[in-house]
Every structure is written in structure tokens, then in C-alpha cells.
Amino acid sequence: MARVAKDYKECDQHEKAYQSQDAVFVARKRAIVAKQNKSMRWVKNVGLGIKTPDAAIEGNYVDKKCPFTGNVSIRGKILKGLVTSTKMKRTVVVRRDYLHYIKKYRRFEKRHKTIHAHCSPCFGVKEGDIVTIGQCRPLAKTVKFNVVAHEAQRPKTGKKTFRMF
């Protein structure tokens, strides 16, 4: 059975424009109260074995780029990486380390890539956390991934330390 929010809460209003979910008609409270047993918050299941967080179901944020409450579908690559920066608004920088084989010397060299990913307010992501990101449509010039899962922070060993997952 699907989890639903218990009561209607007004969405967080931190922007100049009025924030509301596209799929929810806010004035529905005036309708017949007897039939009202459906939640006023719209949440979807992303699929791919990804669990919808409780903060997305019971929260009161509005984010049109969130994979759980917005108009974004996850398709393509699913990657894991280490969060190196959270300085942007609702965007994190994820570092992925990997080994590249050099045939001439028969050895591996360490390499890394940085990926910008949109982070929904339902995740409390900090630097050093390990996140799972899923590919989606381009959300900005450099943002083409979305955070879909979050693991707690590991012991801090440095920002540029090489880590395999």
C-alpha cells in the first residue's frame, strides 16, 4: 500500500513566486470533505528499485526538478560517488574515482571525474557523503544527473583521496 501524507501543509514559500506542485489543485479543500481521503501532495515512484524517501512523501517543499515530486524521469546511467561540494543551491558536485589501464606499462593509473547533480531538499547531503545519482534530462548547462539515494558520511580522510566504491 502506498504511503501518503496525513494532513495538508502549506508548501514552503522561500521564493518571490508562489510555490505549488503542478499536479495539485490547492483550492480542493473547499470541495466535498467526505470524499477527501487522497493526499494533497503528489509523489511518484521512480522505479529501478529506488525507494521514495519519507521526507519526499511527508515534506512540504516544492522542487520541479526532484525525481520524486517533480517532472523528471530517471533513465540511463546509475552511478555512485563522493560529494565534494554543496555550495550551489540544490546542486552538489560528485567525484568519481576509477582506474585506467596503460597497456604499454601493464599498470593502472588513478583518474577521476566530477559530475554536477541536482539534490532534492528531501536529502540532507553534506560534503564527504556517498550518493547514488541517476541520469535524467539536462536540468541546466552542466547538470544532467539527479541524487536518488544517500548514505551517511564516512570518516573524513581528505577531499582528494582516491576511493573506489
Side-chain angles (χ1 to χ4, degrees):
M1 184 174 157
R3 295 173 291 170
V4 295
K6 287 148 185 76
D7 296 321
Y8 173 72
K9 290 177 267 179
E10 181 69 31
C11 295
D12 290 336
Q13 302 296 330
H14 298 296
E15 308 292 332
K16 287 183 178 179
Y18 179 73
Q19 300 293 304
S20 66
Q21 288 185 305
D22 291 335
V24 176
F25 180 59
V26 181
R28 192 182 87 179
K29 292 193 302 184
R30 293 184 300 218
I32 300 169
V33 181
K35 289 186 178 181
Q36 186 176 3
N37 54 3
K38 204 168 115 182
S39 175
M40 288 287 284
R41 184 158 177 83
W42 182 79
V43 181
K44 72 175 179 179
N45 181 10
V46 174
L48 304 170
I50 297 166
K51 183 179 178 279
T52 304
D54 291 331
I57 296 168
E58 296 162 2
N60 56 348
Y61 68 89
V62 176
D63 186 10
K64 66 179 184 177
K65 296 178 181 178
C66 173
F68 307 106
T69 63
N71 186 22
V72 175
S73 62
I74 302 297
R75 79 283 192 282
K77 296 181 180 180
I78 305 286
L79 308 171
K80 251 188 176 181
L82 179 80
V83 176
T84 56
S85 174
T86 57
K87 294 176 183 173
M88 293 177 275
K89 182 181 178 184
R90 293 187 180 178
T91 305
V92 294
V93 179
V94 179
R95 179 185 169 111
R96 298 200 67 237
D97 298 316
Y98 60 97
L99 296 172
H100 178 251
Y101 185 69
I102 308 297
K103 199 189 312 185
K104 180 180 178 182
Y105 300 110
R106 288 191 256 148
R107 281 167 173 71
F108 291 93
E109 68 179 0
K110 296 175 184 173
R111 291 189 178 181
H112 79 276
K113 292 269 190 234
T114 56
I115 301 170
H116 297 262
H118 179 79
C119 184
S120 177
C122 64
F123 297 111
V125 175
K126 297 185 283 280
E127 288 186 21
D129 290 357
I130 293 177
V131 294
T132 304
I133 56 176
Q135 188 178 8
C136 60
R137 64 176 169 82
L139 303 174
K141 181 182 175 184
T142 59
V143 180
K144 293 162 185 67
F145 285 86
N146 223 316
V147 175
V148 293
H150 162 246
E151 295 175 24
Q153 188 172 5
R154 284 188 178 177
K156 200 116 177 170
T157 56
K159 206 171 195 178
K160 293 189 175 180
T161 321
F162 190 82
R163 293 189 182 111
M164 295 288 285
F165 303 105

